[in-house]
Amino acid sequence: SSIVPVVVWSGFAVNAVAPFLQVGGQQAVGPTRCQTIYASQPLWAALLSFIFLGETIGVQGLAGGSVFLLALFLAATAEAPDPDCGESNCEV
């Protein structure tokens, strides 16, 4: 029946291969970059839907994307916290 390939695809590619690759990627780039990539998912979704589906991006979408890019820039250029702050409880 035609549902078997869909179930196999879902079971193997979506629920086995993708998480395996995600964990490997997380280990390779580190937690800060991973969080930035995952947080940018709506921005990428909007951009790809604009390019491939012809979706429109309104003023609110442009403002939100701009604010996100500004926050991303600020996070990327921020000074790294000192892991050896001399306190018993450092905020890192």
Side-chain angles (χ1 to χ4, degrees):
S1 127
S2 64
I3 196 164
V4 172
V6 173
V7 171
V8 170
W9 173 260
S10 177
F12 182 70
V14 175
N15 294 314
V17 174
F20 176 77
L21 293 174
Q22 177 183 345
V23 169
Q26 287 173 323
Q27 291 174 348
V29 299
T32 304
R33 286 189 179 165
C34 284
Q35 178 57 35
T36 304
I37 292 167
Y38 294 138
S40 69
Q41 188 273 334
L43 185 66
W44 291 109
L47 181 65
L48 292 174
S49 67
F50 175 77
I51 293 170
F52 293 111
L53 301 176
E55 298 263 341
T56 58
I57 299 176
V59 175
Q60 289 178 333
L62 289 173
S66 298
V67 170
F68 178 81
L69 289 175
L70 176 64
L72 180 64
F73 173 77
L74 291 174
T77 58
E79 192 174 309
D82 182 12
D84 187 28
C85 66
E87 301 281 328
S88 61
N89 186 11
C90 296
E91 291 189 31
V92 177

